[in-house]
Amino acid sequence: MRAYLLRRLFLLAFVFIALSIFAFSLAYLFPGNILNNISGLRQITPEQAGQLTSYYQLDKSYLAQYIAYLQRIFSGDWGLSFSSQQPLLQEIKTLTPATLELAAYALFISFFVGIPFGIIAAIKPEGMLSKSISGLAVTAYSLPVFWWGLLLIMIFSLGLGWLPTAGRINVLYEIPHQTGFMLWDIYIADTPYKGDAFYNALQHLLLPTVVLATFPTTVMLRFTRDSMLDVWQQNYIKTARAKGLSRGQVLYRHGLRNALLPVIRQIGLQFSTLLTLAMITEIIFSWPGLGHWLIDSIYQRNYPAIQAGLLMISTIVISANMSTELLHTYFNPLARKQ
């Protein structure tokens, strides 16, 4: 396990170095002045240009500039946003919890809905219930996220008036920003309307979470079903059945553990998909997250923000994939030899 862990850490370090080189090179690939792209300052006087050139070491080799870039990244100097002229790292720290909160709830739903229904669909694959579940999964898998989100807004927000169309909470509730995770901030806030604010935040959260969870839920369901069917054909399952164990006992003692091992790896893959779909979902529901901010930055040609946003999202995706890979290996010793 130690050798495997060292190999994975070496691979992780290599990926992060490649990612940082790509992020560093974006400042040169974007149009405009290199000093503006790095610093985020819109107007630079000749005196400032000399100071910035020395600070960013632009008069030295690319290697020296890259090392200086890494030092700034680790020290927290990510530059300024073109649009707000605020530190980018501070903006990212404020926005990232909103995206992670939405993605985490969607992943939670896909995990606790997709896996049980995948198991049910695998028990009797030729039955009516299994075919109905598979049919619904294929239909939900084919739904475009943008169209699905607008349809739910038309029905539950504009038609029935049950749920809000945008935002994280009604503006009437003033919740102090402490962690950025809305439900937790409400829980720890010292406000007299905590219960009403919590209910209102859940109402705002429901539609974006359902829209974002639809695609990974169907993937998780189909993957669990296929994995269960594959395990169900193994000899040790047939042996257990021949010993007289019931279908439920075989499923609980021998089937679930082996069938769910590949599903653990899927969690990391689905998390990266979730972050991609979260950008579309945040636009539809005006969710103030990292994806919405990054899309706005692209429209505004806010190059320092694009560079910082890509670096942050890529880091989150790589870290999530590596974490699930290690978790999968921990539960599956055979994977350590690969």
Side-chain angles (χ1 to χ4, degrees):
M1 183 68 184
R2 183 178 297 176
Y4 176 85
L5 186 61
L6 288 176
R7 288 202 307 269
R8 290 300 172 182
L9 289 178
F10 177 78
L11 178 62
L12 182 64
F14 177 78
V15 172
F16 275 127
I17 290 174
L19 174 63
S20 62
I21 291 174
F22 175 71
F24 166 74
S25 62
L26 285 178
Y28 286 93
L29 297 176
F30 287 139
N33 187 285
I34 180 67
L35 281 177
N36 296 100
N37 293 340
I38 293 180
S39 65
L41 294 171
R42 285 174 293 198
Q43 301 294 334
I44 298 177
T45 62
E47 292 78 13
Q48 285 180 318
Q51 296 173 357
L52 292 173
T53 300
S54 175
Y55 176 70
Y56 294 117
Q57 302 189 16
L58 296 180
D59 51 348
K60 298 183 179 178
S61 64
Y62 286 118
L63 179 60
Q65 294 178 39
Y66 171 69
I67 294 174
Y69 169 75
L70 290 181
Q71 291 174 343
R72 293 197 304 275
I73 290 295
F74 286 113
S75 65
D77 180 12
W78 290 34
L80 300 178
S81 168
F82 272 165
S83 58
S84 65
Q85 290 296 288
Q86 296 298 316
L88 283 169
L89 184 59
Q90 188 60 40
E91 289 192 355
I92 289 175
K93 284 182 178 179
T94 306
L95 297 167
T96 301
T99 299
L100 291 180
E101 184 179 42
L102 185 60
Y105 292 141
L107 189 63
F108 180 82
I109 290 178
S110 67
F111 190 79
F112 285 95
V113 174
I115 291 179
F117 277 92
I119 294 173
I120 293 172
I123 292 177
K124 290 184 178 180
E126 299 302 325
M128 183 60 69
L129 180 60
S130 176
K131 291 182 178 179
S132 301
I133 293 174
S134 299
L136 285 174
V138 172
T139 304
Y141 182 83
S142 306
L143 290 175
V145 174
F146 195 78
W147 180 85
W148 179 228
L150 294 179
L151 180 65
L152 292 183
I153 289 176
M154 288 179 60
I155 295 175
F156 294 102
S157 300
L158 303 180
L160 300 174
W162 292 351
L163 298 170
T165 58
R168 299 180 73 188
I169 194 170
N170 195 301
V171 294
L172 296 176
Y173 303 107
E174 294 185 3
I175 304 299
H177 182 94
Q178 298 189 48
T179 65
F181 296 93
M182 181 56 70
L183 296 184
W184 181 250
D185 282 351
I186 295 174
Y187 176 73
I188 61 178
D190 185 18
T191 56
Y193 42 77
K194 184 180 295 186
D196 294 336
F198 195 82
Y199 178 70
N200 187 267
L202 285 178
Q203 285 184 310
H204 281 78
L205 189 62
L206 184 58
L207 283 186
T209 304
V210 169
V211 170
L212 187 56
T214 300
F215 179 80
T217 300
T218 59
V219 174
M220 199 74 75
L221 190 155
R222 297 171 65 184
F223 196 84
T224 304
R225 177 183 178 275
D226 294 342
S227 180
M228 280 297 300
L229 288 176
D230 183 59
V231 168
W232 214 248
Q233 301 300 322
Q234 300 298 318
N235 290 331
Y236 62 89
I237 295 291
K238 296 176 181 177
T239 303
R241 294 292 301 275
K243 288 181 178 178
L245 295 178
S246 65
R247 182 183 292 269
Q249 289 174 320
V250 174
L251 177 68
Y252 179 74
R253 295 180 183 178
H254 305 284
L256 278 180
R257 181 182 174 90
N258 295 299
L260 293 183
L261 279 176
V263 178
I264 295 176
R265 183 175 288 175
Q266 278 293 312
I267 294 175
L269 298 176
Q270 291 308 310
F271 191 79
S272 58
T273 306
L274 273 174
L275 286 182
T276 306
L277 296 177
M279 295 184 186
I280 304 173
T281 307
E282 288 178 3
I283 291 292
I284 297 172
F285 294 95
S286 296
W287 189 267
L290 192 60
H292 192 186
W293 174 78
L294 184 58
I295 297 295
D296 285 344
S297 300
I298 294 173
Y299 278 120
Q300 297 167 359
R301 299 184 179 181
N302 191 347
Y303 301 125
I306 296 172
Q307 184 185 27
L310 291 177
L311 181 63
M312 174 56 72
I313 291 177
S314 302
T315 302
I316 294 173
V317 170
I318 293 170
S319 301
N321 281 329
M322 190 60 67
S323 300
T324 53
E325 187 78 19
L326 293 176
L327 190 65
H328 173 262
T329 306
Y330 177 77
F331 287 108
N332 184 14
L334 293 176
R336 300 169 197 168
K337 299 179 181 179
Q338 296 178 359

